[in-house]
């Protein structure tokens, strides 16, 4: 079973982003968007922690919560 260390960052009243633990620091989890003539990096965000975790596990880690152990840091 894989272990994932994450933390949620609250922005405003009801918007969260997520970070994962790297070797030496916390790194934002996101995805690259290519517009053809230039691109940018978009962070995953949602209104609730549960929705955000589900989206990140499905799209970034390509797995389900049944197959990983998630450790949330404050």
């Amino acid at each position: 079973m894989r272990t994932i260390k994450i933390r949620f960052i609250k922005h405003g009243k009801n918007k969260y982003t997520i970070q994962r633990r790297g070797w030496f620091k916390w790194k934002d989890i996101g995805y690259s968007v290519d517009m053809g003539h230039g691109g940018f990096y978009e962070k995953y965000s949602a209104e609730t922690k549960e929705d955000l975790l589900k989206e990140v596990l499905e799209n970034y880690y390509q797995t389900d919560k049944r197959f990983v152990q998630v450790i949330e840091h404050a």
Side-chain angles (χ1 to χ4, degrees), residues 8 14 16-18 44-59 65:
F8 294 99
N14 55 353
Y16 292 94
T17 59
I18 192 169
Y44 285 104
S45 64
E47 291 185 3
T48 64
K49 291 180 181 181
E50 294 81 17
D51 291 340
L52 180 57
L53 181 60
K54 183 179 177 183
E55 182 181 357
V56 167
L57 287 177
E58 184 177 313
N59 297 327
K65 196 171 182 176

Side-chain angles (χ1 to χ4, degrees), residues 34-50:
D34 185 17
M35 303 294 286
H37 56 335
F40 59 93
Y41 187 76
E42 182 72 26
K43 298 178 190 176
Y44 285 104
S45 64
E47 291 185 3
T48 64
K49 291 180 181 181
E50 294 81 17

Side-chain angles (χ1 to χ4, degrees), residues 2-30:
R2 185 175 178 184
T3 302
I4 299 172
K5 297 179 182 178
I6 61 166
R7 73 177 179 181
F8 294 99
I9 308 297
K10 188 171 184 178
H11 300 280
K13 273 191 166 182
N14 55 353
K15 185 175 180 183
Y16 292 94
T17 59
I18 192 169
Q19 293 181 333
R20 66 179 174 88
R21 183 68 181 157
W23 278 93
F24 299 107
K25 61 181 180 176
W26 290 95
K27 297 180 181 181
D28 292 319
I29 297 177

